[in-house]
Amino acid sequence: MKRFLLCICLMTVALTMNAQEKRFCIAKDGKAATIIVDENDWKGVIRAANDLSDDVRKVTGVSAPLNEKGNIINDKPSIIVGTIGKSKLIDKLIKQKKLDVKNIKGRWEAYKRDVVDGNLVIAGNDKRGTIYGIYDLSQRIGVSPWYWMADAPVSHKDEVWYTTYGYDYDWPAVKYRGIFINDEWPSFGTWCQNHFGGVNSKAYEKIFELLLRLKANYFWPAMWATNF
């Protein structure tokens, strides 16, 4: 058994040493990389890209510029986000064999991040996969999914870098993940009244954002008089 464990350790070290480190500067010296997203991608993906722009601001004090045309890569290194089959740039990188998506192709809510031609690329196999990949990056740079709901503080950073060794992809092990509004009155209903004037779309917007930042996809809403 000890010999078997030693072999595993040696193989792990070898893989780590052979893997090429890739780095991408998200923000530095008061400037942030542009985020590129295809205007024809899912609306939720575009929303998450806008949130990422503001999350960079929360961390560094400067927002990442957003380009929603998503057809041309800028001269400067950019963050390219998109869904396979919905983003022209993502599909182009795959066709050119610059972006390898075989690990996520066909998988439920899967995403991959990689540095390609100096750009940070976030590609999702489907809509939520792309969204999870975007929000996961937000969490990694220091924005908690609970930044609003629980006032989780965001620490300031002058510089933000992304580093990968070529293994940055993920998908859920459990298909449905979410929450149930258990105590709608007085807790949930009163909270909605105090913050949003009632149980309305503004309240659920914050709840749904939290769910997506937590990589959830399931929601059992309040019932009785406060149902949808």
Side-chain angles (χ1 to χ4, degrees), residues 3-64:
R3 181 181 299 176
F4 177 70
L5 291 175
L6 177 61
C7 290
I8 291 178
C9 293
L10 291 174
M11 289 173 63
T12 303
V13 172
L15 286 171
T16 303
M17 292 178 64
N18 291 332
Q20 182 181 2
E21 181 185 73
K22 297 180 182 180
R23 300 190 74 206
F24 178 86
C25 182
I26 296 175
K28 182 182 179 182
D29 298 331
K31 297 180 180 179
T34 297
I35 301 171
I36 302 177
V37 60
D38 195 319
E39 61 185 346
N40 295 313
D41 211 320
W42 300 103
K43 290 182 179 180
V45 170
I46 297 173
R47 158 65 193 264
N50 277 273
D51 286 347
L52 176 60
S53 170
D54 191 58
D55 289 344
V56 173
R57 179 198 60 79
K58 292 184 182 75
V59 175
T60 66
V62 57
S63 300

Side-chain angles (χ1 to χ4, degrees), residues 171-216:
W171 56 84
V174 178
K175 190 166 187 178
Y176 297 109
R177 312 158 311 277
I179 63 174
F180 164 52
I181 301 295
N182 184 43
D183 186 5
E184 56 185 295
W185 291 104
S187 299
F188 178 70
T190 302
W191 177 79
C192 289
Q193 287 286 351
N194 291 340
H195 288 279
F196 307 103
V199 182
N200 52 35
S201 61
K202 294 179 181 179
Y204 281 113
E205 181 180 4
K206 289 296 185 182
I207 294 171
F208 292 157
E209 180 188 338
L210 173 66
L211 288 171
L212 290 172
R213 284 181 181 267
L214 291 171
K215 298 190 179 82

Side-chain angles (χ1 to χ4, degrees), residues 79-151:
I79 302 173
I80 303 171
V81 302
T83 311
I84 297 172
K86 294 285 287 185
S87 169
K88 293 179 181 178
L89 276 182
I90 295 296
D91 291 347
K92 182 178 180 180
L93 291 173
I94 295 172
K95 186 176 182 180
Q96 293 174 339
K97 297 184 179 181
K98 294 182 177 181
L99 179 64
D100 185 359
V101 295
K102 66 176 180 294
N103 291 316
I104 66 169
K105 192 73 173 178
R107 290 188 179 272
W108 170 267
E109 299 175 341
Y111 65 87
K112 177 175 184 176
R113 280 192 300 258
D114 200 358
V115 178
V116 180
D117 291 341
N119 301 289
L120 174 56
V121 179
I122 304 175
N125 182 62
D126 52 24
K127 176 174 63 176
R128 283 190 297 274
T130 310
I131 292 172
Y132 295 155
I134 294 171
Y135 282 139
D136 184 75
L137 181 64
S138 290
Q139 186 170 5
R140 288 174 184 270
I141 69 174
V143 180
S144 167
W146 297 93
Y147 78 95
W148 191 89
M149 282 286 191
D151 297 317

